[in-house]
Amino acid sequence: MIYSKIKELEALGFSQRNIAKQLDISRNTVAKYSRKDVETFTTWLSSTKHRKQKLDEHKERVLDWLRTYPDLTTAQIQDWLEERGFENVVESTLRRYVKNLREEYQLPKQVYQRQYEAVPDPPMGEQAQIDFGQIWVTTEEKQRIKLYVVAFVLSHSRYKYMEWWDHPYRTEEVIQAHEHAFQYFSGKPKTIVYDQDRTLFINENYGDIIFTPQFETYRQTQRFKVHACRGADPESKGRIENVIGFIKNNFAKNRTYSDLESWNHQALAWLKRTGNGKTHNSTKQIPEQVFKVEQSYLLPAFSLSQKNNHSEGVTNLEVRRINKDNTIKYLTNRYSVPRSTYNRLSYVSIKVENEQLLIFDPTTGEHLATHSLCLETGRLIKNRSHERDQTHSIKSLVERVSKRFTNKDEAGIYLEIIHQRYPRYTRDQLELIDSLGPLYSQSLLDSTLTQCLQKRIFSATEFREILIRLKKQEELVSPSEKLPMNDLPIMSRRTQEKLLHIEPEVRSLADYTELLEGEK
């Protein structure tokens, strides 16, 4: 039919350019047919009907794929053929062959297209993008199963990595996928672009990102920058959006699932063969070749399992939030951490080993505490040393508390006696007295110290009670009647109690009623 139309248009005087445009074919095809007379063309056409093409041995297989999967692409057919050992396939030849099969057997292709805005490529080693996807596939038993994937792509070279799960992914699994990706890349980028996935991000407050505890610990450990995309902003992560679509439509779609291990093995083979081994449509370069240059720009990424011994508690990556009372919750019990921990950390890393709970600083690996695991429920497991400030010695604490008083030497003697009487609770005793300093005047503190020394009262709690009582006495006595503070210690106990129990005179209601009736 094409030959006849070409000859017909030639007879009407149309040029080869116009004929090619009208018939939507190439000028080379028009020129080739124009040179053939009717007899030559008939002989040639007859020979083509009996000529066997190289791809004919896969004709039935390809037709079966096209009937089963109407949206199958030529690139995916090529990958499937190569996966089955048929490697010497020229893409343009296969494309023409598939096109002819679709026309001959009336198998039109279903096309889905999505548009993205172009974004300039960042420098080498600067950025990677990460996103998640899911797809329904068919098992060997003809059942449907939902698979989940996380994909990584280096924004400059377009070098990719992916990992699959047969269940909804958890935070620790995503973190482990990061480790595998960094190993696959032999390094890590400076910045990673994420969609706001619930396994990594809790909330965004006008640009302030709140990470999940486990991911925050991992981010601080690996020390990479995080860029979280805004909602409904696919252009900011268009590269990974394209990668997810490429993986789903070229690798996963219409592929038969047997087991997760085989599926991930096939995925890595596909990356080497197609995902990173074929020319990229946008860059017109092969990602694997560009990556060989970009690799030297990546930052070194240590494996968590290679971290030094003093930080082995971080390798487990179990984290717990620190409560205001300097405790963490594990299972159904609470375990203490040093008192100053809450002020400098939000989370700690934990590890269970030999029936003990080990607690670490997630950023430095410093060992903070060790507790024996409690088998009961609802218990508080507390190390007494966590109740005290370990940053100062008893001597320095005595010196600090002594400065609260006018007579520092006398105060030092008093505090030293308390230390001798309460050796195990010295710090508690001295800190209680120290906490009273900002609440009471210098004169009241001095008077209380004098009274305690005179009456040989060496206890912080009794010191506090006397101080409170003197404060009440000071408030009850009017300015004109107020005694000098030096006289307070000789006030009799009966007088003190009398002052504390003074009550105003109360008249009977009948007296007021009688007065009102009299005025009538």
Side-chain angles (χ1 to χ4, degrees), residues 30-230:
V30 175
K32 180 178 67 174
Y33 287 170
S34 296
R35 290 193 297 267
K36 298 180 185 293
D37 55 28
V38 176
E39 184 179 353
T40 303
F41 178 75
T42 303
T43 303
W44 172 81
L45 185 61
S46 178
S47 66
T48 59
K49 292 182 178 179
H50 303 287
R51 185 176 62 188
K52 185 175 181 180
Q53 298 187 49
K54 188 176 181 180
L55 290 168
D56 282 346
E57 60 181 292
H58 299 288
K59 179 178 179 180
E60 294 304 322
R61 180 183 289 111
V62 174
L63 280 174
D64 183 58
W65 290 343
L66 293 175
R67 291 189 181 102
T68 308
Y69 314 113
D71 56 345
L72 199 63
T73 64
T74 302
Q76 195 171 8
I77 292 174
Q78 182 181 11
D79 181 69
W80 286 8
L81 291 174
E82 291 179 356
E83 190 175 32
R84 288 158 176 78
F86 192 75
E87 298 180 353
N88 300 321
V89 178
V90 180
E91 186 176 354
S92 58
T93 302
L94 180 62
R95 184 175 291 108
R96 286 194 299 271
Y97 186 77
V98 171
K99 180 181 178 182
N100 292 335
L101 287 180
R102 286 188 180 279
E103 292 176 352
E104 182 179 355
Y105 293 91
Q106 299 297 308
L107 299 171
K109 181 182 177 182
Q110 296 179 0
V111 179
Y112 302 97
Q113 189 173 6
R114 183 176 178 181
Q115 300 295 328
Y116 295 94
E117 181 180 345
V119 179
D121 288 343
M124 287 190 174
E126 179 65 30
Q127 183 193 97
Q129 296 186 3
I130 296 177
D131 203 2
F132 303 86
Q134 49 189 262
I135 188 173
W136 286 93
V137 298
T138 304
T139 67
E140 294 177 341
E141 294 77 21
K142 305 301 180 183
Q143 296 179 346
R144 299 273 287 171
I145 183 174
K146 194 175 187 180
L147 297 181
Y148 302 81
V149 65
V150 59
F152 301 71
V153 61
L154 296 175
S155 296
H156 186 90
S157 64
R158 307 302 204 274
Y159 198 69
K160 310 163 193 68
Y161 174 78
M162 63 172 157
E163 192 162 323
W164 291 84
W165 300 282
D166 57 3
H167 57 269
Y169 45 86
R170 300 184 294 272
T171 303
E172 56 269 21
E173 292 174 323
V174 175
I175 291 174
Q176 194 63 43
H178 279 67
E179 290 289 288
H180 296 161
F182 294 159
Q183 293 172 15
Y184 190 79
F185 297 148
S186 297
K188 64 185 177 186
K190 296 177 183 177
T191 304
I192 300 180
V193 179
Y194 296 87
D195 200 355
Q196 294 188 34
D197 189 88
R198 59 183 174 80
T199 60
L200 306 179
F201 301 91
I202 296 176
N203 194 11
E204 178 191 17
N205 185 18
Y206 298 98
D208 294 328
I209 303 298
I210 303 173
F211 304 100
T212 58
Q214 287 172 287
F215 183 67
E216 171 64 17
T217 300
Y218 180 72
R219 186 185 68 85
Q220 292 182 9
T221 303
Q222 283 287 13
R223 299 185 182 279
F224 54 79
K225 296 179 182 178
V226 170
H227 174 80
C229 298
R230 291 182 173 182

Side-chain angles (χ1 to χ4, degrees), residues 438-454:
L439 305 177
Y440 297 91
S441 65
Q442 182 79 57
S443 58
L444 276 176
L445 290 171
D446 289 340
S447 298
T448 304
L449 176 63
T450 301
Q451 189 173 112
C452 287
L453 285 171
Q454 288 178 353

Side-chain angles (χ1 to χ4, degrees), residues 147-352:
L147 297 181
Y148 302 81
V149 65
V150 59
F152 301 71
V153 61
L154 296 175
S155 296
H156 186 90
S157 64
R158 307 302 204 274
Y159 198 69
K160 310 163 193 68
Y161 174 78
M162 63 172 157
E163 192 162 323
W164 291 84
W165 300 282
D166 57 3
H167 57 269
Y169 45 86
R170 300 184 294 272
T171 303
E172 56 269 21
E173 292 174 323
V174 175
I175 291 174
Q176 194 63 43
H178 279 67
E179 290 289 288
H180 296 161
F182 294 159
Q183 293 172 15
Y184 190 79
F185 297 148
S186 297
K188 64 185 177 186
K190 296 177 183 177
T191 304
I192 300 180
V193 179
Y194 296 87
D195 200 355
Q196 294 188 34
D197 189 88
R198 59 183 174 80
T199 60
L200 306 179
F201 301 91
I202 296 176
N203 194 11
E204 178 191 17
N205 185 18
Y206 298 98
D208 294 328
I209 303 298
I210 303 173
F211 304 100
T212 58
Q214 287 172 287
F215 183 67
E216 171 64 17
T217 300
Y218 180 72
R219 186 185 68 85
Q220 292 182 9
T221 303
Q222 283 287 13
R223 299 185 182 279
F224 54 79
K225 296 179 182 178
V226 170
H227 174 80
C229 298
R230 291 182 173 182
D233 184 24
E235 287 79 8
S236 60
K237 54 183 178 67
R239 296 177 184 85
I240 192 61
E241 291 274 359
N242 288 329
V243 169
I244 289 293
F246 187 33
I247 289 172
K248 290 167 66 174
N249 295 321
N250 190 289
F251 168 73
K253 198 170 186 177
N254 305 322
R255 182 180 292 269
T256 302
Y257 176 85
S258 58
D259 60 84
L260 187 61
E261 183 178 357
S262 300
W263 186 271
N264 273 309
H265 180 74
Q266 294 171 15
L268 293 179
W270 177 87
L271 283 173
K272 183 174 180 61
R273 182 178 63 251
T274 301
N276 295 323
K278 299 287 185 181
T279 301
H280 193 275
N281 286 335
S282 298
T283 65
K284 304 304 179 185
Q285 299 182 80
I286 298 176
E288 187 173 15
Q289 295 179 356
V290 183
F291 171 71
K292 291 178 180 179
V293 181
E294 185 177 19
Q295 189 174 14
S296 61
Y297 291 84
L298 297 174
L299 300 175
F302 63 84
S303 173
L304 292 179
S305 59
Q306 296 173 352
K307 201 166 171 62
N308 49 29
N309 292 333
H310 78 275
S311 63
E312 63 175 344
V314 182
T315 62
N316 192 289
L317 283 180
E318 275 199 70
V319 295
R320 291 294 185 276
R321 183 187 294 272
I322 304 175
N323 301 319
K324 291 183 178 180
D325 57 359
N326 286 287
T327 62
I328 63 169
K329 190 173 182 180
Y330 180 70
L331 299 180
T332 59
N333 297 311
R334 291 181 299 146
Y335 295 83
S336 68
V337 294
R339 189 177 62 177
S340 60
T341 308
Y342 176 77
N343 296 328
R344 62 188 183 90
L345 295 174
S346 298
Y347 304 94
V348 292
S349 298
I350 65 170
K351 180 180 181 181
V352 177

